Amino acid sequence: MVVIDAVTRLLPGALGHQDSASEESFSQGLLEYPQYTRPAEYRGLRVPEVLLSGHHAEIAKWRQDQAEQRTRIRRPDLQWQPETLPPVPVLPNDRKE
């Protein structure tokens, strides 16, 4: 199953968006940033305001900061240099509706 999954991901269109694989864990040497969905508040937990703002550059910065922070806390064994990593891309699907 692992081999099938790995090979399928290489096929054009298999992931839906060409940049999807570049955002997965370890693709940039970092863990992924936190993922949120609707509603904006659930059981007293709120989605960070920056994610609701629609400001794509600020959202990308927040995601990059969160990914770096998670990696430092959860996987300090990973050797990464923040200044050498590309920023987390802003995908067209990230637009505020």
Side-chain angles (χ1 to χ4, degrees):
M1 291 297 286
V2 173
V3 173
I4 292 171
D5 180 62
V7 172
T8 301
R9 290 169 172 270
L10 299 175
L11 298 173
L15 296 179
H17 191 277
Q18 65 185 11
D19 293 332
S20 293
S22 68
E23 285 198 358
E24 291 188 352
S25 289
F26 302 110
S27 65
Q28 297 179 357
L30 296 172
L31 299 178
E32 285 185 288
Y33 49 83
Q35 306 288 318
Y36 293 91
T37 187
R38 298 188 193 283
E41 184 173 341
Y42 180 72
R43 294 187 180 182
L45 302 172
R46 295 199 37 82
V47 172
E49 287 299 319
V50 68
L51 299 180
L52 302 173
S53 71
H55 192 281
H56 302 296
E58 289 296 319
I59 292 170
K61 182 183 180 320
W62 180 88
R63 287 176 173 171
Q64 184 73 30
D65 292 344
Q66 290 295 310
E68 291 175 8
Q69 181 180 355
R70 277 186 164 199
T71 302
R72 275 193 302 274
I73 293 169
R74 297 179 182 179
R75 290 296 309 271
D77 58 307
L78 293 178
Q79 298 297 314
W80 57 277
Q81 300 297 321
E83 60 277 353
T84 62
L85 292 173
V88 176
V90 177
L91 299 176
N93 295 355
D94 292 340
R95 293 188 191 111
K96 183 179 178 187
E97 295 179 25

